[in-house]
Amino acid sequence: MKIDKINLDGKKDSIEVLDKIFSAKINKKLVDNVLYKTNANYKGRHAKTKQQNEIAGATSKIYAQKGTGGARHASRKAPIFVGGGVAHGPKGQLAYKKRKLNKSEKKLSVASLITEKNKLNNLLIFSDFATEIKKTKEMHSIIKKFDLTHSLIILDKTSKDKVEKSMRNIPNVKVTDINHFSAFDIIKFKKVVFTESSIKELEKRYS
């Protein structure tokens, strides 16, 4: 299929793109599953309490089994004692299961979301940035001109090197490349922007 490409002067052209990325089946159930797994794996499970076997101290029996008139006890490290282990407490990050996300799930979810953005007219493709843009003010005017105030901008390496510095202080805009974005990023931002070369890099992964 063909899709519009635009340059910084506002002139439109068209380029040929893969149907399986820009006109894919929108699978919301798959996207929800991918987002669930992604969010679950991002969470930091840092809370941890010491179990009885992790408490430092003597292991000897605290008093005789019989003759004290009290209950039988073996270790001062038992959860019923102050300073002992904690029963059924959080066990830290290693105790939690990582939810596996395979490559086909990632690809299909990204294609589904890009297709949806395209249908909603929230997808833009720019020509590669030919000249370096150093000033944030200049880049801010470009973003305002094309209404990209809440956008994920996915660039090829050459374009990224030329404009990344000028975008660092602009809020609600994320600049990245083909290797460092996910379905979660596409959902988070209203618009998605590619350069022509970054589209070609993306298509290589799907071919």
Side-chain angles (χ1 to χ4, degrees), residues 58-66 71-76:
T59 57
S60 59
K61 193 171 175 67
I62 58 177
Y63 52 70
Q65 176 86 345
K66 296 185 177 182
R72 298 171 293 183
H73 293 295
S75 172
R76 180 65 70 180

Side-chain angles (χ1 to χ4, degrees), residues 73-98:
H73 293 295
S75 172
R76 180 65 70 180
K77 301 176 186 179
I80 62 172
F81 293 118
V82 174
V86 176
H88 313 299
K91 297 181 179 179
Q93 192 149 350
L94 294 177
Y96 287 89
K97 179 184 176 183
K98 283 276 186 182

Side-chain angles (χ1 to χ4, degrees), residues 1-203:
M1 65 177 288
K2 286 192 174 183
I3 196 169
D4 286 341
K5 178 187 72 171
I6 195 167
N7 62 22
L8 295 181
D9 297 326
K11 292 181 181 178
K12 284 187 177 181
D13 198 355
S14 62
I15 59 169
E16 193 74 31
V17 294
L18 286 179
D19 285 0
K20 59 182 176 181
I21 302 177
F22 295 89
S23 185
K25 179 183 176 183
I26 298 175
N27 189 337
K28 293 193 175 182
K29 188 175 180 180
L30 172 69
V31 171
D32 287 344
N33 190 39
V34 168
L35 292 176
Y36 170 74
K37 290 180 180 180
T38 303
N39 284 335
N41 291 339
Y42 275 160
K43 286 180 181 176
R45 320 270 190 179
H46 301 300
K48 184 184 184 305
T49 54
K50 288 186 177 181
Q51 311 301 305
Q52 184 172 335
N53 65 332
E54 296 174 310
I55 300 293
T59 57
S60 59
K61 193 171 175 67
I62 58 177
Y63 52 70
Q65 176 86 345
K66 296 185 177 182
T68 64
R72 298 171 293 183
H73 293 295
S75 172
R76 180 65 70 180
K77 301 176 186 179
I80 62 172
F81 293 118
V82 174
V86 176
H88 313 299
K91 297 181 179 179
Q93 192 149 350
L94 294 177
Y96 287 89
K97 179 184 176 183
K98 283 276 186 182
R99 289 169 173 80
K100 186 179 179 183
L101 198 60
N102 61 47
K103 288 181 180 179
S104 63
E105 281 182 309
K106 290 179 183 178
K107 286 181 178 180
L108 290 172
S109 65
V110 167
S112 183
L113 288 169
I114 288 175
T115 298
E116 188 174 38
K117 292 288 186 187
N118 189 28
K119 286 187 175 180
L120 295 172
N121 295 320
N122 285 328
L123 177 75
L124 277 84
I125 299 178
F126 278 113
S127 301
D128 295 352
F129 288 91
T131 56
E132 187 175 7
I133 301 174
K134 294 181 179 180
K135 293 187 177 181
T136 303
K137 186 177 180 180
E138 187 180 350
M139 180 52 69
H140 189 271
S141 65
I142 293 170
I143 286 173
K144 194 173 180 180
K145 178 181 177 181
F146 294 101
D147 192 22
L148 306 177
T149 50
H150 197 274
S151 301
L152 172 68
I153 301 176
I154 303 167
L155 303 173
D156 58 282
K157 188 180 184 305
T158 304
S159 295
K160 190 179 177 185
D161 290 341
K162 289 178 178 176
V163 301
E164 187 178 22
K165 288 182 181 178
S166 63
M167 289 187 176
R168 281 179 184 171
N169 295 323
I170 299 176
N172 301 320
V173 172
K174 180 177 179 179
V175 182
T176 186
D177 55 45
I178 292 299
N179 299 314
H180 298 97
F181 80 96
S182 65
F184 184 81
D185 291 319
I186 300 174
I187 285 280
K188 183 179 177 182
F189 292 93
K190 182 182 177 182
K191 292 190 176 182
V192 176
V193 179
F194 287 95
T195 55
E196 187 175 0
S197 292
S198 66
I199 288 287
K200 290 175 182 176
E201 289 176 25
L202 184 67
E203 288 178 338

